[in-house]
Amino acid sequence: MSAPERAGAPAAPPAAADLDGFPSGVAANETLRMIGTARAMRRLRPDPVPDELIRTLVWAGTRAASPNNSQLWRFVVVRDPGRRAAIGAALERFVHWIDSLGEPEGDGDARIRAEARHLVVNIGQAPVLLFVCAEHSYPERGPDPRYLWSAVSTAGQNILVAARSLGLGATLTMMQVGNEQGVRDVLGLPDDVHIGTVIPVGWPDRPFGPARRRPLDDVVHHDHWRGGSRVQDERDPR
């Protein structure tokens, strides 16, 4: 059985009309369709993922742009069940944090919280945990963390799109912030290597579909900024 069949991916790629908010007058090619359906997959099957597919994801990550081609990324691929379980134990604090957030703001917020909680509680069951890290070493004369995070972000997004194209489920998370030192201890990271994101990878346990986001007109400003920010508007409603 092929990877897309195992993952339950649709036989035919979605048309532009099925992509949330896709601009009219443009034909959606394969790359754009993958971007438009690379939704967060927080429920994964425990089935193993072949090494060559994980290496392909890391390859995609290393094709990303980085400041002055510094290639600061470093990737830690965790497959060992004991180590995955140890990471899950270290992240119990993150579950408590989710539970402490109070009432969700709406159905969408409630769903995302429930899915995030499920992912963290079951993180040890994900077949692969891919940590996108970076060395804090650029520029050499005075390393600036802003460069580090830009390298991690581009690599992470490449991995998500590549996973979608291979029929794999993946989601970008920051769950390590719940107990970063505990996770670092499990991974044995040196002091100058920072965790940017944790991407659980596996065969998805639900179908792919359009990634739904805010309308473009809500987030685009032409030539200069117009109005306030969303945070300012919520603090000072007019």
Side-chain angles (χ1 to χ4, degrees), residues 80-229:
D80 177 73
R83 208 165 292 272
R84 284 187 281 129
I87 291 169
L91 291 175
E92 287 182 2
R93 295 183 192 175
F94 196 75
V95 178
H96 298 323
W97 177 78
I98 294 173
D99 293 341
S100 72
L101 291 176
E103 289 297 317
E105 295 182 2
D107 291 343
D109 187 32
R111 178 183 57 79
I112 291 174
R113 284 195 203 178
E115 292 293 297
R117 191 182 194 283
H118 171 87
L119 178 64
V120 180
V121 168
N122 295 282
I123 197 66
Q125 303 303 312
V128 180
L129 299 179
L130 178 51
F131 286 80
V132 184
C133 306
E135 287 189 352
H136 186 33
S137 59
Y138 182 83
E140 288 187 15
R141 294 185 178 181
D144 185 328
R146 290 175 293 183
Y147 293 107
L148 179 159
W149 302 126
S150 71
V152 164
S153 298
T154 54
Q157 184 61 26
N158 272 18
I159 289 170
L160 295 183
V161 177
R164 171 64 186 94
S165 74
L166 296 171
L168 288 167
T171 187
L172 200 75
T173 82
M174 289 289 293
M175 63 178 70
Q176 79 275 7
V177 301
N179 183 8
E180 186 154 358
Q181 188 56 55
V183 175
R184 293 179 62 85
D185 291 344
V186 174
L187 298 179
L189 297 181
D191 291 342
D192 61 348
V193 173
H194 298 265
I195 303 172
T197 183
V198 188
I199 304 179
V201 179
W203 302 111
D205 202 24
R206 65 170 182 167
F208 289 101
R212 304 201 180 280
R213 301 292 186 265
R214 295 177 181 274
L216 294 183
D217 289 344
D218 286 1
V219 298
V220 176
H221 300 258
H222 295 281
D223 296 325
H224 67 95
W225 192 277
R226 297 179 184 276
S229 69

